[in-house]
Amino acid sequence: MHASVRSGPTESGRSDVLVIGGGIIGLVTAWRAAQRGLRTALCDPAPGGGAAQVAAGMLAAVSELHYGEETLLGLNLASAERYPQFVAELAEASGGLDIGYRSCGTLAVALDADDRLHLRELHALQSRCGLESQWLTGRECRRLEPMLAPGVRGGLRADGDHQVDPRQLAAALLAACERAGVAVHRSGAEQLTVSGDRAAGAVLTDGTALHADQVVLAAGSLSGRLAGVPADAAVPVRPVKGQVVRLTVPPAYRPFLSRTVRAVVRGSQVYLVPRENGELVVGATSEELGWDTTVTAGGVYELLRDAHELVPGITELPLVETQAGLRPGSPDNAPLLGPTELPGLHLATGHYRNGVLLTPLTGDVMAEVLTTGELPEIARPFSPRRFTAAREESLA
Ligand code: GLY
């Protein structure tokens, strides 16, 4: 589909769709909706910001598979498959912006016997799910990635798990929205407007009242905080803190790593994501600390300690940035997509660890439901109503 400039919302501030939240999920929703001819507005105090400014950008459907998340796996794989086409379309729609899509693959490694057992179990789960990954000895791992520690005991190669640069992705989506005629309001939503038992827009923190036939709440970890959402449409999303460190690989040291390298060290996930431009992202902690976004000495220490065990040479690299962001966690770690119990109010949130990976599919799904009223088959298990139904059953 080609982007075309649409007439934006009318001067009265009325649109077909209002998207609350301008992170990558809100932006992709607004862009795709506008492409379908819907007059679309979006509000966010800092569009293009949010968790994408912190995320490493791994597209890790295979290497980040977890027990009990097999349904989510189907969604993740479908989105990963859409990425090459999505990248090409977004480049055209944004006026040529690159999003750093790198089809480099991923290597998950083990440092001791416990890690090796964990990886063996992951390999068995991947095989049961029909996924492609290859078991390697420690020596084979080091042949692929010579900077790995001599103590690496084995690894799992997932050649289909790639990466993008989420900061570039956010910038390209914002440009695509603006070129497609989305009216971008640089102010947050203070209160949802409900009129005649349906969502009808929002009042922004600067006092502007926006009216829309359909509202999409896509505010990441903040989605549960919007005033005016009735209790039966409450959004069960919570913040899960992730601290991340950015290093840079000087030209003389390149190639330092040629693919994403990850491991579970002492029960904590650590990953190193090398970009073409020399950036090396080391992530991430996972902390249930509410709205706290402090970068702590302990968080940075643990990331660097674990990354150093995998790749000792990182201590030579300049440290350029430390950050903390908030993942939008949901009760089952899967996103909430589509209509809520309040007519006119949709959700596109709760993507937790998979927001970047699920961006292409979320845009398509949301544009479809906003245009036709029907949630596509693939997204039905992720309807927000799965939680409403569970609440009703427990009260019965
Ligand atoms: N998907 C990586 C993370 O959430 O840390």
Side-chain angles (χ1 to χ4, degrees):
M1 188 187 301
H2 293 276
S4 58
V5 177
R6 300 275 165 192
S7 55
T10 62
E11 283 180 7
S12 65
R14 170 161 287 287
S15 57
D16 297 321
V17 175
L18 169 64
V19 179
I20 296 176
I24 52 175
I25 295 299
L27 288 168
V28 77
T29 300
W31 173 45
R32 291 307 204 186
Q35 275 189 323
R36 299 266 191 125
L38 297 169
R39 290 173 308 148
T40 304
L42 175 145
C43 63
D44 191 297
Q53 294 300 315
V54 181
M58 291 178 299
L59 310 177
V62 175
S63 43
E64 233 174 68
L65 177 63
H66 287 77
Y67 286 100
E69 294 185 3
E70 288 81 354
T71 314
L72 177 59
L73 171 67
L75 199 73
N76 287 344
L77 289 172
S79 200
E81 208 176 284
R82 290 176 200 206
Y83 245 102
Q85 173 70 24
F86 174 79
V87 171
E89 266 187 74
L90 186 54
E92 191 185 329
S94 64
L97 296 183
D98 176 39
I99 65 164
Y101 180 68
R102 189 174 179 198
S103 48
C104 54
T106 293
L107 180 64
V109 298
L111 283 167
D112 62 23
D114 284 349
D115 301 344
R116 206 156 167 270
L117 192 63
H118 167 88
L119 264 195
R120 284 283 191 199
E121 284 170 2
L122 178 61
H123 192 205
L125 177 63
Q126 290 168 344
S127 304
R128 281 201 299 282
C129 293
L131 300 173
E132 270 184 42
S133 60
Q134 186 192 355
W135 184 262
L136 302 182
T137 63
R139 183 173 301 180
E140 287 167 331
C141 290
R142 281 187 297 280
R143 207 173 293 139
L144 277 185
E145 295 296 343
M147 295 306 286
L148 282 174
V152 164
R153 305 274 293 262
L156 209 45
R157 178 175 176 171
D159 284 341
D161 278 1
H162 305 316
Q163 59 154 298
V164 294
D165 184 333
R167 292 174 174 178
Q168 290 179 248
L169 171 62
L173 284 170
L174 182 55
C177 278
E178 283 169 341
R179 290 165 67 99
V182 174
V184 177
H185 297 263
R186 287 176 161 73
S187 179
E190 184 147 292
Q191 167 119 21
L192 181 73
T193 306
V194 178
S195 169
D197 286 337
R198 59 173 294 131
V203 177
L204 308 189
T205 49
D206 66 6
T208 308
L210 298 176
H211 307 281
D213 295 338
Q214 303 188 81
V215 177
V216 180
L217 181 47
S221 60
L222 293 165
S223 300
R225 291 187 117 187
L226 181 66
V229 177
D232 59 358
V235 186
V237 166
R238 67 182 198 286
V240 182
K241 177 178 173 182
Q243 300 190 50
V244 162
V245 170
R246 282 177 160 79
L247 311 174
T248 190
V249 181
Y253 288 37
R254 296 183 201 166
F256 187 77
L257 293 174
S258 58
R259 73 204 69 224
T260 296
V261 169
R262 56 185 302 149
V264 177
V265 183
R266 286 178 286 272
S268 300
Q269 296 275 354
V270 64
Y271 44 79
L272 294 91
V273 183
R275 305 232 193 277
E276 298 276 15
N277 64 6
E279 183 176 79
L280 181 67
V281 187
V282 180
T285 65
S286 189
E287 303 165 76
E288 300 274 356
L289 288 175
W291 301 102
D292 174 53
T293 51
T294 315
V295 175
T296 62
V300 171
Y301 164 71
E302 282 169 24
L303 287 174
L304 292 178
R305 179 196 63 195
D306 295 349
H308 172 254
E309 281 191 36
L310 290 185
V311 180
I314 63 153
T315 50
E316 304 297 322
L317 304 179
L319 190 160
V320 287
E321 203 175 335
T322 58
Q323 261 188 322
L326 298 173
R327 305 175 183 88
S330 75
D332 59 5
N333 300 337
L336 295 100
L337 302 173
T340 65
E341 296 301 324
L342 179 68
L345 178 65
H346 300 264
L347 300 185
T349 188
H351 292 71
Y352 189 39
R353 295 186 309 261
N354 297 307
V356 179
L357 172 59
L358 288 173
T359 294
L361 183 124
T362 300
D364 294 346
V365 161
M366 295 310 295
E368 184 70 16
V369 72
L370 288 166
T371 320
T372 66
E374 289 291 320
L375 196 58
E377 180 84 40
I378 190 164
R380 288 194 194 145
F382 306 98
S383 161
R385 291 181 171 141
R386 69 191 187 274
F387 298 117
T388 327
R391 260 202 312 264
E392 275 164 10
E393 273 162 31
S394 74
L395 292 174

